[in-house]
Amino acid sequence: MYKKCSWVNCITDKSKKMKKHNFNAGPSIIPEQVKEQTAKGILDLNGIGLSVMEISHRSKEFSAIIEEAASLLRELLFVPDSHSVVFTHGGASLNFCMVPYNLLEKKAAYLDTGSWSSKAIKEAKLFGEVEVVASSKDKNYTYIPKNFTIPANADYFHITTNNTIFGTEIKKDFNSPVPLIADASSDILSRPMDVSKYGLIYGGAQKNVGPAGVAFVIIRKDILGKVTRPIPSMLDYRIYIENGSLYNTPACLSVYGCLLMLRWLKNLGGVKAIHKINLEKAKILYDEIDRNKLFKPTVPNEEDRSIMNVTFVMADEYQEKEADFLQYAISQGMVGIKGHRSVGGFRASIYNPLPMESVKALIKAMKEFEAKL
Ligand code: PMP
C-alpha cells in the first residue's frame, strides 16, 4: 500500500535528485560533514558500542564532549579568563528572562531593533524598570538607531546584535559605561567580536553554533551575584558555571552536534577566515539586489545591512511577481527564502555553513527570472 503511494515517491525522488540550497533562518543549514559525523555518533560514539544518545551525561565520554565544546567556543572567540562559557536550556528566549533575573536590580537599558529585542524587553519589565534608549520601530526596524545615550545608572545595556527577521546588524562592539549584554543568536561566530567589551553574550545554537536544543552563554563572572532576589537554580547562571553546565541533564545530542560544528569551523580557519567568506557572500548578494530591476533591499543603509540575513522585496512596479519568483526559486532548489510575515518579500539566511555556491545559485535564479520578463 505504502509502496504504491506515488506522491511520496515523487517527493523523495525529486528531493534526492535536486541539490537543495538551504537558506532557512533557523534551525538552518548544517555542514554535510557535521551531519555525517553526528549520524555516526548516533549509531556508535567513537567506537564505544553505544550511541551518544544513550550514555550518561556524567560519563567520561560526555564530559569530554561538553568540555571540548565550551573550550572551542572560548578559543574561536578569544574569550578572556574573566568570562565563563556555559550551555543552558530554553533557547535564547529563556535567556530573555534569565538576564534580568540575574542582573536587573533597579533599572536596565535596552535598544529596540526588532521583534526579538521587544520580546527581551517584555521579559525584563517583569523584574524592574526598563529604559528603551532608542527604537527603530518607526520604520519597521529597517535601520539601527545611532544617536542614543546609554544611562550610566542602568544595571546593564541590552542589544540584539543581529535582527534575524529584519535583516539589520550591529557590526561593531559598543563601548558601554555599564555591562553590555548581547543577544547574538544569529551572528555569533560570523565575525570577530571583542568579547572583553561584553558583560554577557547569549543565543540559541541553531544558526552558527549547531543544532537546536541548546543555548550558549558567555558571562563575565564578576557581574553575577549582585541582585538581591533569590534565583531558582535552573535560572541562575552561577549554577551553570559551578556545575560545568551539568547541574541537570543537558540536551546531550545537541551539545554533540555543537561540538562537531565548532570543530568544523576551527578546521576552516576560525572566525576570521569565515568572516572573510561571509563578507563576500553578503556583498555579491546585496550587489545583485541593488542591480536587479525586479528587487530592492529592505535596509537602505549599507552599514546596517546584516551579513547573515539578507532581506529584500520586489521593486514597486513588480510587486505582483512576488509569488512567481518564489515559485521559480523553489524550482531551482532554493529553500527557506520566503520573508518573515512582518517584512514580506524574501529573506536569504546565509549563515556560516551556507556555501558560496548556494549564494551564486540564488543570484543566478534572480538574473534568470529578470531575463524572462
Ligand atoms: N533572538 C534572535 C536574534 C533570534 O533570531 C531568535 C530565534 N530565531 C531568538 C532570539 C529566539 O531563539 P530561541 O528560539 O532559541 O528561543
Side-chain angles (χ1 to χ4, degrees):
M1 177 66 188
Y2 190 69
K3 262 189 188 160
K4 276 186 198 158
C5 177
S6 59
W7 179 80
V8 170
N9 289 340
C10 167
I11 295 278
T12 319
D13 287 346
K14 256 195 182 168
S15 56
K16 265 187 195 155
K17 269 183 217 140
M18 177 164 300
K19 159 117 186 93
K20 293 280 195 262
H21 299 288
N22 186 352
F23 293 93
N24 277 328
S28 47
I29 182 164
I30 302 272
E32 276 314 305
Q33 179 191 330
V34 171
K35 288 189 276 189
E36 279 161 21
Q37 290 167 348
T38 309
K40 273 192 191 148
I42 287 174
L43 295 174
D44 182 359
L45 179 69
N46 303 333
I48 64 168
L50 293 167
S51 166
V52 64
M53 297 191 298
E54 55 184 5
I55 55 170
S56 166
H57 61 295
R58 311 231 174 259
S59 62
K60 70 175 187 326
E61 288 83 5
F62 189 75
S63 296
I65 289 171
I66 198 161
E67 278 166 24
E68 188 187 339
S71 79
L72 271 178
L73 195 53
R74 181 177 274 288
E75 185 184 329
L76 287 163
L77 288 168
F78 299 97
V79 175
D81 290 344
S82 47
H83 291 59
S84 289
V85 173
V86 298
F87 297 106
T88 65
H89 295 269
S93 301
L94 192 61
N95 281 280
F96 290 164
C97 109
M98 287 172 79
V99 164
Y101 221 135
N102 284 263
L103 302 173
L104 203 173
E105 182 70 7
K106 283 207 172 79
K107 179 170 106 166
Y110 278 71
L111 185 64
D112 176 26
T113 53
S115 314
W116 297 113
S117 309
S118 306
K119 286 187 174 158
I121 290 166
K122 180 175 168 230
E123 298 300 287
K125 283 181 176 166
L126 299 171
F127 297 91
E129 188 194 336
V130 172
E131 182 178 333
V132 177
V133 298
S135 169
S136 45
K137 196 175 180 183
D138 58 339
K139 290 192 175 151
N140 200 30
Y141 297 117
T142 49
Y143 69 101
I144 300 289
K146 300 286 172 332
N147 297 317
F148 54 82
T149 310
I150 306 167
N153 65 349
D155 295 321
Y156 62 84
F157 174 50
H158 181 285
I159 57 172
T160 311
T161 49
N162 185 69
N163 299 284
T164 324
I165 295 175
F166 297 93
T168 59
E169 186 176 9
I170 299 169
K171 295 171 198 152
K172 60 169 197 205
D173 305 307
F174 282 122
N175 290 317
S176 168
V178 297
L180 179 62
I181 313 294
D183 170 3
S185 293
S186 49
D187 65 347
I188 191 79
L189 297 169
S190 70
R191 66 167 174 96
M193 262 178 128
D194 181 354
V195 175
S196 70
K197 286 194 167 176
Y198 294 82
L200 191 150
I201 304 171
Y202 69 93
Q206 62 274 18
K207 288 110 164 55
N208 280 339
V209 181
V214 62
F216 62 87
V217 188
I218 303 167
I219 320 163
R220 204 177 83 207
K221 286 165 275 189
D222 68 359
I223 66 172
L224 297 174
K226 297 201 172 145
V227 290
T228 47
R229 72 175 65 83
I231 306 174
S233 305
M234 284 299 292
L235 300 173
D236 189 336
Y237 288 125
R238 289 169 302 182
I239 297 284
Y240 286 83
I241 296 173
E242 282 159 21
N243 294 279
S245 310
L246 290 170
Y247 178 72
N248 80 324
T249 316
C252 298
L253 179 56
S254 300
V255 173
Y256 184 56
C258 291
L259 166 64
L260 298 174
M261 191 130 134
L262 293 165
R263 278 187 191 157
W264 167 84
L265 182 56
K266 184 179 170 179
N267 287 337
L268 212 118
V271 175
K272 222 173 159 183
I274 201 80
H275 183 225
K276 200 164 162 260
I277 300 170
N278 287 336
L279 288 175
E280 274 175 50
K281 288 190 297 187
K283 180 176 180 347
I284 61 167
L285 187 49
Y286 281 117
D287 280 353
E288 175 60 15
I289 295 165
D290 287 334
R291 185 211 62 79
N292 193 314
K293 67 175 186 295
L294 303 186
F295 304 102
K296 63 174 185 186
T298 64
V299 180
N301 185 354
E302 282 184 30
E303 187 193 336
D304 296 344
R305 289 180 183 173
S306 168
I307 62 162
M308 291 284 102
N309 308 98
V310 178
T311 48
F312 56 106
V313 290
M314 299 308 293
D316 297 344
E317 55 276 45
Y318 295 103
Q319 288 296 330
E320 81 288 357
K321 298 286 177 204
E322 185 174 307
D324 291 349
F325 175 68
L326 184 63
Q327 273 321 306
Y328 183 68
I330 291 170
S331 77
Q332 299 305 299
M334 308 308 139
V335 175
I337 64 157
K338 192 169 164 40
H340 190 273
R341 62 189 175 282
S342 47
V343 180
F346 310 97
R347 169 176 54 176
S349 297
I350 55 174
Y351 298 122
N352 286 353
L354 184 95
M356 178 67 84
E357 177 201 348
S358 291
V359 177
K360 287 188 175 160
L362 175 58
I363 292 171
K364 185 165 172 272
M366 292 162 80
K367 285 186 196 296
E368 283 168 356
F369 194 72
E370 183 189 31
K372 276 174 193 279
L373 291 186

